[in-house]
């Protein structure tokens, strides 16, 4: 149906609408420059998807494909004859023929595979796995625990606090010892006077 053909466009519209609604009702407090980058990224993703889709929907015209196939067949037939005239031994003419014909047919088959990136072959893009991974990432980002950034104290602050505690403890200890010395010297003076 028509709706199934445009699922990606619908999801892009939903994402853009949710961002705009979040911005208008205060759920998103984002600088305009960053918000512009979000919309650009969504737009670029959509454009790349459409560009990839053009390769699989609009293939080369059949007459072009037939011309390439006929040219390759002609090349396959003529190359051994030309190679036989160009080389002195059949060994070298056979190697040159095989190599050139094999390379050109291989390039043709690679071009056919590139025309259709999504598919069921082992060389095609794993569209289902890409969609599952993307949806998994979206679900993780929508989880409540992912909405607030964790509070992390810098390491230096805790080390400096520990150093301050040690310094304060040493200062208190020094004051305590000096008081004890003052008290003990006062006691010895008192004992000496008595």
């Amino acid at each position: 149906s028509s709706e199934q053909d445009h699922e990606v466009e619908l999801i892009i519209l939903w994402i853009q609408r949710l961002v705009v609604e979040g911005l208008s009702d205060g759920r998103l407090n984002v600088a305009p420059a960053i918000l512009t980058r979000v919309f650009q990224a969504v737009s670029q993703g959509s454009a790349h998807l459409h560009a990839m889709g053009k390769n699989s929907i609009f293939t080369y015209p059949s007459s072009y494909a037939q011309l390439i196939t006929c040219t390759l067949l002609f090349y396959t037939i003529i190359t051994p004859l030309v190679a036989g005239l160009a080389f002195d031994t059949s060994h070298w003419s056979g190697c040159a023929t095989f190599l050139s014909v094999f390379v050109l047919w291989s390039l043709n088959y690679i071009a056919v595979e590139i025309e259709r990136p999504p598919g069921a072959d082992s060389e095609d893009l794993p569209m289902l796995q890409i969609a599952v991974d993307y949806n998994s990432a979206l679900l993780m980002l929508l989880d409540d625990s992912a909405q607030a950034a964790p509070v992390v104290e810098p390491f230096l602050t805790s080390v400096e606090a520990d150093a301050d505690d040690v310094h304060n403890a040493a200062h208190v200890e020094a004051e305590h010892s000096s008081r004890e010395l003052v008290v003990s010297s006062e006691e010895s003076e008192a004992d000496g006077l008595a």
Side-chain angles (χ1 to χ4, degrees):
S1 79
S2 176
E3 288 180 11
Q4 291 177 344
D5 294 338
H6 302 289
E7 291 173 341
V8 173
E9 288 86 356
L10 180 64
I11 291 172
I12 288 172
L13 174 68
W14 288 346
I15 291 171
Q16 290 173 341
R17 181 166 291 166
L18 286 172
V19 168
V20 170
E21 287 174 2
L23 188 63
S24 65
D25 66 11
R27 284 181 290 164
L28 287 176
N29 187 11
V30 180
I34 294 174
L35 194 60
T36 301
R37 291 294 301 149
V38 169
F39 282 117
Q40 284 177 351
V42 170
S43 171
Q44 286 174 351
S46 176
H48 289 304
L49 181 69
H50 285 290
M52 185 180 77
K54 281 191 257 181
N55 288 340
S56 62
I57 294 170
F58 303 110
T59 58
Y60 289 113
S62 61
S63 58
Y64 181 73
Q66 290 170 353
L67 177 65
I68 288 177
T69 303
C70 288
T71 304
L72 282 172
L73 286 172
F74 179 75
Y75 185 80
T76 303
I77 293 169
I78 294 298
T79 302
L81 300 174
V82 172
L85 294 173
F87 293 101
D88 295 333
T89 63
S90 61
H91 174 69
W92 285 112
S93 64
C95 287
T97 299
F98 173 77
L99 186 63
S100 63
V101 169
F102 177 77
V103 166
L104 290 178
W105 277 101
S106 298
L107 286 174
N108 183 48
Y109 286 125
I110 290 170
V112 169
E113 283 295 318
I114 290 174
E115 282 181 24
R116 295 181 219 107
D121 296 342
S122 62
E123 297 89 19
D124 293 330
L125 292 176
M127 297 306 288
L128 181 63
Q129 185 61 40
I130 290 171
V132 167
D133 291 344
Y134 187 71
N135 289 337
S136 171
L138 285 177
L139 287 174
M140 186 263 317
L141 291 173
L142 290 174
D143 189 17
D144 289 338
S145 63
Q147 298 305 313
V151 177
V152 179
E153 292 185 20
F155 178 72
L156 286 177
T157 304
S158 62
V159 169
E160 289 170 357
D162 291 345
D164 287 343
D165 290 344
V166 169
H167 177 68
N168 290 340
H171 185 64
V172 167
E173 182 78 25
E175 279 184 21
H176 186 63
S177 331
S178 65
R179 283 186 193 151
E180 287 179 355
L181 287 175
V182 169
V183 169
S184 64
S185 66
E186 288 175 355
E187 287 175 358
S188 25
E189 285 178 13
D191 288 339
L193 292 175

